[in-house]
Amino acid sequence: MAIEDFPILAGRLRQVQTGKLEVVVDSDNLNIPKFTEIQSSIDFDKYEAANFNPALLPTGAVKPTAFLRGGFQEENIKLADICIVRLKDCGGVVLSVSIAHAVVDGYGFNLFMHRWAEINKKLVADNTATDLGVSNVVYSRSILQKAVPTPQKPCLSVLHNMYIPSSYLSRLFAWVSPGIRGTIFDSIHAFADISISCFHVSRETLDQLRQSVKKNSSTNLRISDNDVLMAAITIAYAQSILKHESERTNTGLASWLKSAFLGSSSKNPKNFVTAEAADIRHRIPNGNLENYSGNSAISMMVHSPIELLQIPASSEALTQVALGVRKSTNEITSEYIAQSIHEAESESDFVFRPLVHNTFVAERMMVTNLSRFTFYTTDFGWGIPQFVGPANAKFPKFTWFYPAHPSKGGIYIHLNDYSNILQQMQTNSFWTEISDFVY
């Protein structure tokens, strides 16, 4: 029933030109999402004692990857993959849901989960799903294209630093089908020791960090939780990366490949780049995008001087980076959005450039902040979730901010990266001072 309100999840991908995809929904040829159930050998108490570490899920449970999978034919790719893991002794279930980023973003994912839970809760209560009302969700990208204004100026100077130069690899990945592309990326990273770690930053610590930034700032700019979290993770992660890079020699074949594929853009960077997905739904006046479930995110880039990040962390450094995040956030105007969407749709390999750079360039990371999403009001009829978080995406340098359970408060920071980098994070003096290791 939830799929009826989100029919795009039963559609089939079609690559219409290099780097461009469309989803075709044919009622006579539906691509029904994959649905599986698995029995776990561990009970709820053991899973809870391990802080709900997804590594304890049994083999075969959905392990979302960063890319679409499904073989050489894109029409065979499932756009949604759902797995129910039943814990031992009927102790509970783990609901693992993976939906292709090609059709929804985090906001759209949250809309789907709430609608599904709403329907199920009604069925649990009285075995009917009547009187639920009509879903107002819109998935057609045309609503976004109508809402986004036409660029009125030459490319803004702030965007020049955002754009990553095209490379042989980014053009190659734009040319191949999404199934082949995903298989290549996942095959490459299957041999890498990539895992996921979770850290918790308490509400009290967040407030203290914000007050510290405000105290050391000479401006009256509003400082948000996101500004502080982005600054803190940038400092700790950059220090971990730089320490790791200083302990290894980047020579030989790896160095040659990096230079050959990326050119001069990968040599001796002066800045550490933190890229964050910025939702434009509420940034376009009268855009009416509240019910749009598709992708409506653009990149916000924060450039922090590497020389600043090489020194021991201090309140002054935190303030400088946090103000940089706030400045980048404030620059997301209607014109910035218009130019970002225009560039993304006019360059076939635009979306693949940061993915290639993330693989080869150490001084980068990507962040998605989901901490404001109402995950803990998603009730399927048996109460709210005890824990919500991502599985291992098997792709490095990805970070997610998730809300913690209401009884705990604060924010969970989930970091997907190579194990040696995660080990550096776990021993970074600044990071261990402001966060608690979860798993």
Side-chain angles (χ1 to χ4, degrees):
M1 296 179 68
I3 296 296
E4 292 179 359
D5 293 327
F6 291 79
I8 194 170
L9 300 184
R12 296 183 185 274
L13 281 177
R14 179 185 298 167
Q15 185 151 329
V16 292
Q17 56 180 300
T18 301
K20 306 296 182 181
L21 297 171
E22 68 177 13
V23 180
V24 178
V25 181
D26 182 355
S27 59
D28 295 324
N29 187 26
L30 293 176
N31 184 23
I32 302 300
K34 182 180 178 181
F35 187 91
T36 56
E37 291 189 38
I38 297 176
Q39 180 63 50
S40 174
S41 61
I42 65 171
D43 57 25
F44 179 83
D45 291 340
K46 183 175 181 180
Y47 194 44
E48 184 180 35
N51 295 317
F52 305 104
N53 187 341
L56 269 67
L57 294 178
T59 303
V62 176
K63 297 282 195 303
T65 61
F67 302 97
L68 295 164
R69 294 295 300 274
F72 298 137
Q73 300 298 320
E74 55 262 25
E75 63 266 22
N76 294 329
I77 295 174
K78 295 293 185 182
L79 300 184
D81 192 333
I82 299 168
C83 180
I84 291 182
V85 180
R86 298 190 179 279
L87 299 177
K88 184 179 178 181
D89 298 329
C90 300
V93 298
V94 178
L95 183 60
S96 181
V97 182
S98 179
I99 302 180
H101 216 324
V103 293
V104 300
D105 57 9
Y107 185 94
F109 178 90
N110 197 37
L111 287 176
F112 171 73
M113 294 301 295
H114 273 279
R115 183 59 174 176
W116 182 12
E118 180 186 19
I119 294 171
N120 200 79
K121 186 175 183 179
K122 189 72 165 57
L123 289 171
V124 170
D126 56 21
N127 203 34
T128 67
T130 57
D131 303 326
L132 283 172
V134 178
S135 172
N136 295 319
V137 171
V138 178
Y139 60 86
S140 174
R141 193 167 177 81
S142 62
I143 187 176
L144 179 67
Q145 294 168 333
K146 291 178 182 178
V148 174
T150 302
Q152 300 297 315
K153 306 175 183 176
C155 185
L156 296 169
S157 59
V158 67
L159 291 180
H160 282 297
N161 285 333
M162 187 184 85
Y163 296 141
I164 298 169
S166 181
S167 66
Y168 296 118
L169 273 181
S170 63
R171 291 192 293 272
L172 170 65
F173 287 125
W175 177 73
V176 301
S177 72
I180 295 175
R181 182 187 310 132
T183 300
I184 292 173
F185 263 105
D186 284 339
S187 296
I188 291 173
H189 293 293
F191 297 99
D193 186 16
I194 298 175
S195 58
I196 188 168
S197 285
C198 177
F199 305 88
H200 179 253
V201 179
S202 69
R203 178 72 259 170
E204 180 182 4
T205 298
L206 273 174
D207 291 340
Q208 290 173 351
L209 292 175
R210 286 181 62 190
Q211 290 303 317
S212 174
V213 169
K214 290 180 180 180
K215 181 179 179 181
N216 286 282
S217 172
S218 59
T219 71
N220 293 320
L221 290 175
R222 168 182 171 270
I223 300 298
S224 68
D225 285 348
N226 185 69
D227 299 333
V228 171
L229 282 173
M230 283 276 287
I233 192 69
T234 294
I235 291 172
Y237 185 77
Q239 289 179 346
S240 299
I241 284 285
L242 295 171
K243 182 178 180 181
H244 172 67
E245 288 293 296
S246 69
E247 295 173 352
R248 63 192 290 263
T249 304
N250 192 19
T251 59
L253 179 61
S255 180
W256 180 85
L257 286 172
K258 177 178 176 180
S259 178
F261 285 130
L262 302 182
S264 60
S265 63
S266 66
K267 298 178 180 178
N268 301 319
K270 296 181 180 180
N271 292 323
F272 186 92
V273 181
T274 310
E276 183 176 27
D279 191 349
I280 67 174
R281 285 179 177 82
H282 305 289
R283 300 177 187 272
I284 300 178
N286 302 314
N288 298 317
L289 296 174
E290 291 82 2
N291 295 318
Y292 177 59
S293 63
N295 272 306
S296 67
I298 61 175
S299 291
M300 179 189 84
M301 302 290 189
V302 181
H303 296 255
S304 304
I306 286 181
E307 60 181 18
L308 172 67
L309 305 177
Q310 288 176 319
I311 61 177
S314 63
S315 57
E316 289 76 18
L318 181 70
T319 299
Q320 185 170 334
V321 178
L323 291 176
V325 177
R326 174 47 44 186
K327 180 175 181 293
S328 296
T329 303
N330 289 345
E331 288 171 341
I332 305 178
T333 61
S334 294
E335 182 65 17
Y336 180 102
I337 293 171
Q339 294 189 12
S340 296
I341 298 294
H342 174 75
E343 290 295 326
E345 295 185 345
S346 61
E347 299 289 339
S348 63
D349 68 333
F350 186 86
V351 298
F352 306 111
R353 297 177 191 178
L355 298 176
V356 171
H357 268 65
N358 253 37
T359 300
F360 289 99
V361 179
E363 296 80 9
R364 289 184 61 86
M365 76 177 304
M366 300 180 72
V367 176
T368 297
N369 188 344
L370 307 177
S371 63
R372 293 186 179 181
F373 287 3
T374 54
F375 293 128
Y376 289 99
T377 61
T378 307
D379 184 354
F380 282 79
W382 301 286
I384 66 172
Q386 292 300 302
F387 182 84
V388 179
N392 185 357
K394 298 300 289 184
F395 200 82
K397 305 178 186 179
F398 273 74
T399 298
W400 298 268
F401 299 161
Y402 270 73
H405 191 277
S407 65
K408 188 176 184 67
I411 305 293
Y412 282 124
I413 312 295
H414 301 268
L415 178 57
N416 222 132
D417 212 331
Y418 301 105
S419 294
N420 46 23
I421 301 299
L422 297 179
Q423 291 170 4
Q424 296 281 6
M425 285 288 292
Q426 293 169 24
T427 58
N428 180 276
S429 58
F430 169 67
W431 190 242
T432 55
E433 181 181 341
I434 65 172
S435 71
D436 294 318
F437 179 71
V438 179
Y439 60 73

